[in-house]
Amino acid sequence: MKRFLSLALVLFIFIGAEAQEYKYAVHFTDKDFTPFSIDQPEGFLSQRAIERREKYNIPIIEEDLPIDPQYIEDVLGLNSNFQLIIKVKWLNTIIISTTDSTDVEVLDLLDKVEKVVQVYNSEFKSTKNDKLSFEVENEELYQPYKSTQAYDSAFYGGGWIQINQLKGEKLHELGYKGQGMVIAVLDAGFSGVDERLIFQALWDNDQILGTKNVVAPGEPVFSSHTHGTAVLSTMGGYWEGNLVGTAPDADYWLIRTEDGASEDLIEEYNWVAGAAFADSVGADVLNTSLGYTTFDDPSTDHTWEELNGDSTVITRGSNMAFRKGMLVVNSAGNSGSSSWRYVGAPADGYQVFSIGAVDADQQIASFSSHGFPWSDEVKPNVVARGSGAYVAYANSDAVGPSNGTSFSGPIIAGMSASLWSADPSLSPTQIKRAIQYSADKYLTPDTLYGYGLPNYEHALSILGVEDELQVKNKISVAPNPVLESFSLNLETAETFNFSMKIYNIQGALMEERKMNWDGSPLTIDIKSYTSGIYFVEVNASNKI
């Protein structure tokens, strides 16, 4: 009997012991010896990504280069416990795991290691079963609508209100449905996307360009979570009479960066890695219905002071993505009724298009996160339906209403891609600004609605896409590149007042002038400007 009890005790101890896991972000000091070259970008960027940079005169710089493989080998060679998880090239960082937290002390031996940050500790357990849980209430299946001529409530089914609020059907009627645009969806998983009827058109037309699992490399993204499924349906869904998304003709990359069962700092690094991948394959729009404020490990929690537009890991990565020529759309967050109350990261980003939520009556949703009242930055930027928004159900062929800025964000992302498809030569800055100009509170923005509810039909008019006499096709700036001054010429003899704005590559307003056109070219002096890339915007006759 004694022998039996002793053996049982030993087995109990052995089974009960759970191995700890720690993950660290190892930041390197430089990329001085990487075998990759800025002069040969085809080694790490797709042709589409290279062409995007050429189109917007965006230079390829060191942060675009992959991490030096030798630096990675040097780290992994220091301890056999080290396991490489992901590479985050924009931050010149790798994520490694180990079972002993003291293992990383050896990294001090490497001169090329700038710092080491703990991003995951298995000792801290999530207090929530699923932080991205949402409900699709009152599953509905409408009668299929066969006509492809009328873009009306019968055609859009449950999604009619959310697209009609934005006058998105007007763009679809003109044939602007996102064709030629690539949207990368960074989310927690896409369960059922490979099975549900609403996504069949995407597969039939080869509009799903590929997938990437940053959280669990090598594993499929179709069995990890349903959140991304609902998000994707608001953009790429196409099921006439039930739900048609805001960009049904766009192409999509499905990228998993989020672990829905936990909340750890590693997920911000995951996102930056996913965004860099999206950039490398040539994405035009990034949609993220995620946000970060507090974590399972309280020592890594963000403070309001950190959400200053360019400090947190994910916000810095989001601003980088914008500088690469992508429109970065992010949900504002669902903290409006909580003690936090304000937007999270990366919705705070200077270059991030942050989206709040309204209901069917265009009233702000109680859960929609507020902008910071002490900041000059308008957040959220705009709003769309997120209260009662219609999404696809991941476990059956049905749709239903659900709540969250998780859905107002992609509704705007898809609609913006459709707008952009009307003229792909436009820059993300121009697209973003036209949408804001079109919104109903543009002259009186606040911390709840931002600039308000956009009108995409108006945004199209602002961009002048449908106007054969549009100003933008009659404007010339020469010389380009410019040294000290340039000549601004509007090819018309008509006399009128107009305004000119100059923005830098980050979208910051450098100067604004109100001027009178008398038919003669104007000389604009920019001797005081530092070297760089600038955008000239002319506002005339309600056109930009």
Side-chain angles (χ1 to χ4, degrees), residues 288-332:
T288 305
S289 292
L290 306 169
Y292 301 92
T293 54
T294 59
F295 299 93
D296 296 338
D297 179 356
S299 68
T300 59
D301 287 355
H302 293 320
T303 63
W304 288 337
E305 289 75 19
E306 287 180 298
L307 299 183
N308 57 18
D310 198 35
S311 287
T312 67
V313 168
I314 192 171
T315 302
R316 287 167 50 210
S318 298
N319 290 337
M320 287 180 187
F322 183 88
R323 293 197 294 270
K324 307 302 179 187
M326 294 180 283
L327 180 65
V328 182
V329 183
N330 201 96
S331 299

Side-chain angles (χ1 to χ4, degrees), residues 44-46 48-49 52 182 184 209 253 255 276-283:
F44 49 90
L45 294 176
S46 68
R48 183 181 174 90
R52 169 158 39 77
V182 176
L209 301 182
W253 274 92
I255 304 173
F277 174 79
D279 166 52
S280 72
V281 296

Side-chain angles (χ1 to χ4, degrees), residues 6-24:
S6 298
L7 180 60
L9 179 61
V10 171
L11 287 174
F12 176 77
I13 294 173
F14 177 77
I15 294 173
E18 182 179 348
Q20 298 297 324
E21 183 180 21
Y22 306 89
K23 297 178 183 178
Y24 296 88

Side-chain angles (χ1 to χ4, degrees), residues 74 80 164 190 210 231 336 441 488-489 498 534-535:
D74 290 346
S80 59
N164 176 250
F190 304 88
V231 165
K441 295 182 183 294
L488 177 66
N489 187 27
F498 71 99
Y534 297 86
F535 297 96

Side-chain angles (χ1 to χ4, degrees), residues 367-403:
F367 56 77
S368 186
S369 294
H370 303 191
F372 294 111
W374 54 83
S375 173
D376 293 332
E377 191 74 14
V378 174
K379 293 293 176 182
N381 294 82
V382 295
V383 295
R385 191 178 188 189
S387 176
Y390 271 72
V391 303
Y393 200 58
N395 299 318
S396 66
D397 285 320
V399 299
S402 191
N403 300 322

Side-chain angles (χ1 to χ4, degrees), residues 204-430:
D204 290 345
N205 299 321
D206 297 322
Q207 291 171 249
I208 302 292
L209 301 182
T211 67
K212 178 78 170 179
N213 194 332
V214 181
V215 177
E219 294 185 10
V221 301
F222 300 119
S223 58
S224 49
H225 208 284
T226 63
H227 188 263
T229 308
V231 165
L232 178 64
S233 70
T234 68
M235 296 179 283
Y238 190 85
W239 190 8
E240 292 183 17
N242 293 279
L243 177 62
V244 177
T246 50
D249 288 357
D251 295 328
Y252 294 88
W253 274 92
L254 310 182
I255 304 173
R256 185 189 179 206
T257 65
E258 172 76 11
D259 182 352
S262 63
E263 187 81 311
D264 293 286
L265 189 58
I266 189 175
E267 292 166 61
E268 293 197 18
Y269 286 89
N270 289 346
W271 190 95
V272 180
F277 174 79
D279 166 52
S280 72
V281 296
D284 302 296
V285 177
L286 300 187
N287 178 82
T288 305
S289 292
L290 306 169
Y292 301 92
T293 54
T294 59
F295 299 93
D296 296 338
D297 179 356
S299 68
T300 59
D301 287 355
H302 293 320
T303 63
W304 288 337
E305 289 75 19
E306 287 180 298
L307 299 183
N308 57 18
D310 198 35
S311 287
T312 67
V313 168
I314 192 171
T315 302
R316 287 167 50 210
S318 298
N319 290 337
M320 287 180 187
F322 183 88
R323 293 197 294 270
K324 307 302 179 187
M326 294 180 283
L327 180 65
V328 182
V329 183
N330 201 96
S331 299
N334 301 328
S335 299
S337 300
S338 73
S339 58
W340 177 273
R341 191 177 183 184
Y342 302 110
V343 298
D348 68 310
Y350 292 133
Q351 311 298 356
V352 177
F353 206 24
S354 306
I355 316 302
V358 295
D359 61 18
D361 297 320
Q362 303 181 18
Q363 298 301 305
I364 198 72
S366 61
F367 56 77
S368 186
S369 294
H370 303 191
F372 294 111
W374 54 83
S375 173
D376 293 332
E377 191 74 14
V378 174
K379 293 293 176 182
N381 294 82
V382 295
V383 295
R385 191 178 188 189
S387 176
Y390 271 72
V391 303
Y393 200 58
N395 299 318
S396 66
D397 285 320
V399 299
S402 191
N403 300 322
T405 58
S406 284
F407 310 121
S408 58
I411 287 171
I412 288 290
M415 206 65 258
S416 301
S418 289
L419 176 67
W420 207 349
S421 70
D423 188 350
S425 69
L426 297 171
S427 71
T429 299
Q430 290 171 298

